[in-house]
């Protein structure tokens, strides 16, 4: 098996997690990460053993003064790698695009960039095969990843007439002390529909979907309230079983007592998840309800980590090194995706035996 050399441009919330995930895969490794400032994350990157590259010659000096070794500028990193994963802040990736193209280096962008930045928007469960061999891909945002993953199996099994979703979004990530609100509930955007529905349509162009957004004072996760009008009327049990069978959907049983995002996170930490990450959509099982063809539920999305397995699969799609099924299985195994579900199932088996 060839080991693909992966560059991570931007070592923040998303970039550092992608770097860790790449290192856990059997078929790829990190050849370097890039940043602009010699801060705690630069120190952490070096401590984690990654060659550190900087955005410009000017930064080399600043890093030198801070006593942090650098391997070169980001240009050299882009030249040296097989694939670059751009995890720079929203809008910065677009500025790098010409440099990736000039070096003929396939690039993966994040959801903060406009869809036009890449040949195709990507979700591993929804359109891996359509993206195979592309020169550039855009892994859709954390919210869009959460929605497309949830909708894919329903679309395949029953057809979807219409989706309506309200996205209650965290105000910022834990390190973002400048974000808010700190004591308010903001319609965001206040105009309806929000941009999230059109983003889902970059993966499912024909899907009828309306979304609304709010921002709340939390750094933990997003919570979606979803209503899907299905084309057929299946039994609720069939839907629950189908969603539970999806590795990146964790249908959370009531018996776990995870009444919110705090307890979900605590569960992930207890299960030894790196950084307390929850790669899976967490769908509260009790919330799944069917009224005719209308399906309802709540799901929690860990914004810092749900796109991480998708980036790993995007690397295999762009390099055409595995099929969708093989890639998702490899990624899931390396990241321990499915462990939370199996703990929940073990709990159920034991309860049934006790009964
Ligand atoms: N955080 C989330 O919830 C989330 C979820 C899904 C998708 N995304 C998307 O993922 C992307 C990255 O977001 P993030 O939250 O990880 O951002 P972040 O935490 O701010 O990290 C951005 C990283 O990029 C580096 N950087 C800034 N300018 C750079 C440049 N010119 N060249 C190279 N590196 C540069 C920053 O380092 P310096 O500080 O040293 O410049 C930092 O390490 C965005 O498109 C975002 O929309 C974010």
């Amino acid at each position: 098996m060839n080991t693909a050399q992966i560059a991570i441009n931007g070592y923040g919330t998303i970039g550092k997690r992608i770097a860790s995930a790449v290192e856990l895969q059997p078929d790829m490794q990190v050849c370097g990460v890039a940043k602009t400032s010699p801060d705690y994350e630069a120190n952490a990157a070096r401590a984690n053993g990654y060659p550190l590259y900087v955005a410009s010659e000017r930064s080399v000096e600043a890093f030198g003064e801070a006593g942090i070794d650098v391997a070169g500028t980001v240009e050299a990193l882009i030249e040296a790698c097989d694939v670059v994963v751009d995890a720079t802040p929203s809008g910065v990736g677009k500025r790098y695009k010409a440099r990736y193209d000039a070096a003929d280096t396939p690039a993966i962008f994040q959801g903060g960039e406009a869809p036009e930045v890449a040949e195709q928007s990507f979700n591993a469960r929804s359109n891996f095969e359509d993206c195979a061999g592309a020169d550039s891909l855009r892994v859709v945002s954390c919210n869009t990843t959460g929605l497309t993953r949830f909708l894919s199996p329903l679309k395949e099994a029953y057809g979807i007439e219409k989706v309506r979703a309200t996205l209650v979004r965290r105000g910022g990530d834990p390190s973002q002390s400048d974000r808010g609100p700190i004591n308010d509930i903001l319609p965001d955007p206040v105009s309806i529909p929000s941009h999230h529905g059109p983003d889902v349509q970059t993966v499912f162009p024909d899907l009828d979907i309306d979304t609304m957004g709010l921002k709340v004072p939390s750094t933990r996760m997003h919570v979606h309230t979803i209503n899907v009008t299905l084309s057929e009327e299946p039994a609720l049990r069939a839907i629950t079983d189908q969603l539970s069978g999806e590795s990146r959907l964790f249908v959370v049983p009531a018996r776990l007592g995870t009444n919110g995002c705090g307890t979900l996170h605590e569960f992930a930490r207890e299960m030894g998840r790196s950084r307390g990450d929850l790669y899976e959509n967490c769908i509260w099982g009790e919330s799944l309800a069917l009224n005719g063809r209308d399906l309802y539920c709540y799901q929690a999305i860990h914004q810092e980590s749900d796109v991480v397995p998708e980036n790993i699969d995007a690397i295999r799609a762009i390099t055409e090194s595995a099929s969708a099924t093989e890639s998702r299985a490899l990624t899931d195994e390396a990241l321990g995706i499915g462990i939370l579900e199996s703990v929940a199932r073990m709990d159920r088996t034991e309860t049934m035996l006790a009964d």
Side-chain angles (χ1 to χ4, degrees):
M1 195 181 270
N2 286 338
T3 304
Q5 300 299 313
I6 311 301
I8 316 282
N9 190 16
Y11 190 77
T13 302
I14 301 298
K16 71 177 90 161
R17 287 175 165 80
I18 296 171
S20 300
V22 164
E23 286 295 293
L24 291 171
Q25 309 304 313
D27 53 346
M28 54 186 85
Q29 70 184 48
V30 176
C31 62
V33 305
K35 268 183 62 63
T36 66
S37 41
D39 59 6
Y40 71 99
E41 284 176 322
N43 280 280
R46 288 298 298 128
N48 287 332
Y50 302 126
L52 184 59
Y53 292 77
V54 292
S56 67
E57 288 293 348
R58 217 165 11 133
S59 308
V60 174
E61 210 173 296
F63 278 68
E65 281 167 14
I68 302 172
D69 288 342
V70 297
T73 62
V74 75
E75 261 67 30
L77 179 60
I78 296 166
E79 285 287 346
C81 68
D82 296 315
V83 176
V84 58
V85 179
D86 186 294
T88 58
S90 302
V92 176
K94 179 179 69 177
R95 305 210 299 262
Y96 272 106
K97 182 177 170 50
R99 294 199 236 175
Y100 304 147
D101 288 349
D104 207 14
T105 301
I108 294 167
F109 297 91
Q110 306 305 309
E113 303 300 325
E116 300 70 42
V117 77
E119 231 175 283
Q120 181 94 44
S121 287
F122 176 86
N123 173 258
R125 176 64 180 79
S126 312
N127 67 347
F128 184 112
E129 309 290 6
D130 298 342
C131 295
D135 290 330
S136 59
L137 292 174
R138 167 182 171 263
V139 171
V140 290
S141 74
C142 45
N143 280 303
T144 307
T145 293
L147 286 170
T148 50
R149 268 186 196 162
F150 176 74
L151 295 172
S152 279
L154 296 174
K155 194 167 173 290
E156 282 165 18
Y158 314 112
I160 292 178
E161 196 173 295
K162 170 96 188 166
V163 181
R164 299 164 191 86
T166 301
L167 282 46
V168 181
R169 291 140 67 215
R170 58 81 177 108
D173 293 338
S175 64
Q176 293 175 317
S177 47
D178 56 340
R179 296 272 292 254
I182 58 168
N183 182 22
D184 210 338
I185 300 166
L186 307 178
D188 183 78
V190 70
S191 55
I192 296 169
S194 73
H195 63 275
H196 302 94
D199 202 31
V200 172
Q201 287 165 335
T202 66
V203 177
F204 296 133
D206 300 327
L207 187 72
D208 188 353
I209 176 167
D210 287 335
T211 52
M212 298 164 71
L214 296 154
K215 264 193 189 172
V216 296
S218 172
T219 61
R220 286 196 181 279
M221 299 176 86
H222 305 302
V223 172
H224 298 171
T225 73
I226 308 181
N227 164 215
V228 184
T229 306
L230 300 165
S231 305
E232 290 172 22
E233 187 179 332
L236 181 59
R237 183 58 199 251
I239 294 176
T240 308
D241 287 349
Q242 192 190 16
L243 297 177
S244 301
E246 294 280 325
S247 71
R248 295 182 193 173
L249 302 182
F250 174 31
V251 179
V252 186
R255 70 179 70 81
L256 287 190
T258 50
N259 62 348
C261 299
T263 41
L264 282 172
H265 253 146
E266 196 56 23
F267 183 48
R269 280 197 288 257
E270 279 299 288
M271 297 313 300
R273 277 287 171 84
S274 163
R275 303 180 175 101
D277 284 346
L278 280 156
Y279 305 114
E280 307 88 341
N281 294 22
C282 300
I283 303 164
W284 278 281
E286 298 146 281
S287 75
L288 282 163
L290 200 57
N291 181 6
R293 290 184 291 118
D294 274 315
L295 175 69
Y296 297 87
C297 76
Y298 293 117
Q299 67 171 0
I301 301 297
H302 186 215
Q303 77 283 353
E304 295 174 288
S305 67
D306 74 325
V307 297
V308 170
E310 309 302 322
N311 272 275
I312 300 300
D313 292 327
I315 292 169
R316 294 201 187 94
I318 224 167
T319 54
E320 294 184 278
S321 55
S323 70
T325 314
E326 287 163 353
S327 178
R328 289 199 305 265
L330 273 171
T331 307
D332 289 354
E333 190 181 343
L335 297 183
I337 292 176
I339 284 177
L340 305 184
E341 182 80 33
S342 56
V343 167
R345 282 217 194 96
M346 181 174 75
D347 189 41
R348 181 162 54 201
T349 312
E350 282 174 1
T351 309
M352 282 162 62
L353 288 175
D355 288 348

